Amino acid sequence: AVIAEYFSSKEEILVAQQERLWKGQFSKMNKILKKAKTPADHKEAFEVFFDNLVFSIKKNDHVQFEVFSFVPACLEYRAKVKVRLKKLFIKLIRKGWPGKTQEVLDRQSDLVLLTFYGFVDHVVHISVSERKKILKDYKNMLNLHLQDRLFF
């Protein structure tokens, strides 16, 4: 029973770290979205989301991100964040690349979400200079993907 309490408190600390990270990211996005009026504003907000996240990652954060991927309480929190991220991505895609059907929005936001977690897992393990390069390539890839109105 004592051991379970010990691990529970460690999990709570890790979840709190995750919450701080995401609270900051979503707070920044909310401020940007309040000002966004045009499709170009929403496209820019989409890119800024990735910029803010990548630039907020510190040199040794890879250890923390690895732990987030294995601790049960962190995985539960991650599932909640995924739901919120999907809603955000749908909103940004709908307003930044207008004219898509709901089916296309769902598919494209699912693919953005799927690639996003692989992207984050990759960038936390590389140098800051390499992060900037892969971030640029990643945003270009997403923009090309989202320009397709009908999705193939």
Side-chain angles (χ1 to χ4, degrees):
V2 174
I3 293 174
E5 288 177 356
Y6 174 76
F7 284 112
S8 177
S9 67
K10 289 289 188 186
E11 284 187 350
E12 289 171 9
I13 292 169
L14 292 168
V15 170
Q17 285 177 289
Q18 249 184 321
E19 286 174 343
R20 275 193 302 278
L21 169 86
W22 285 110
K23 184 178 180 182
Q25 295 303 319
F26 286 122
S27 177
K28 289 175 190 174
M29 277 310 297
N30 288 338
K31 288 176 186 175
I32 292 168
L33 288 174
K34 283 181 183 178
K35 297 176 186 176
K37 304 291 182 224
T38 66
D41 294 341
H42 286 87
K43 286 179 183 180
E44 183 178 343
F46 185 77
E47 291 195 14
V48 167
F49 170 80
F50 298 103
D51 292 342
N52 286 341
L53 183 67
V54 170
F55 296 135
S56 72
I57 299 169
K58 294 173 187 61
K59 185 178 179 181
N60 293 315
D61 278 357
H62 64 281
V63 175
Q64 180 175 298
F65 277 85
E66 287 294 330
V67 172
F68 290 164
S69 299
F70 295 102
V71 175
C74 291
L75 290 172
E76 288 175 24
Y77 183 76
R78 180 179 174 162
K80 291 176 187 175
V81 170
K82 276 186 174 181
V83 170
R84 194 166 174 192
L85 281 171
K86 174 144 183 184
K87 288 177 184 176
L88 173 66
F89 292 152
I90 285 175
K91 180 178 184 173
L92 290 169
I93 294 167
R94 177 184 289 125
K95 292 186 175 197
W97 293 266
K100 296 177 186 290
T101 65
Q102 188 60 46
E103 183 180 346
V104 170
L105 278 169
D106 287 337
R107 284 198 315 258
Q108 288 187 330
S109 61
D110 281 343
L111 279 173
V112 170
L113 188 61
L114 174 69
T115 62
F116 170 73
Y117 279 99
F119 169 74
V120 170
D121 184 51
H122 180 69
V123 297
V124 298
H125 292 96
I126 61 178
S127 69
V128 173
S129 62
E130 289 299 310
R131 287 178 192 167
K132 290 177 183 177
K133 292 175 189 173
I134 196 82
L135 172 63
K136 183 180 177 187
D137 290 344
Y138 184 68
K139 291 188 307 185
N140 285 338
M141 178 190 73
L142 290 177
N143 275 306
L144 287 171
H145 166 67
L146 295 172
Q147 286 175 16
D148 187 348
R149 271 183 76 126
L150 300 176
F151 194 62
F152 309 121

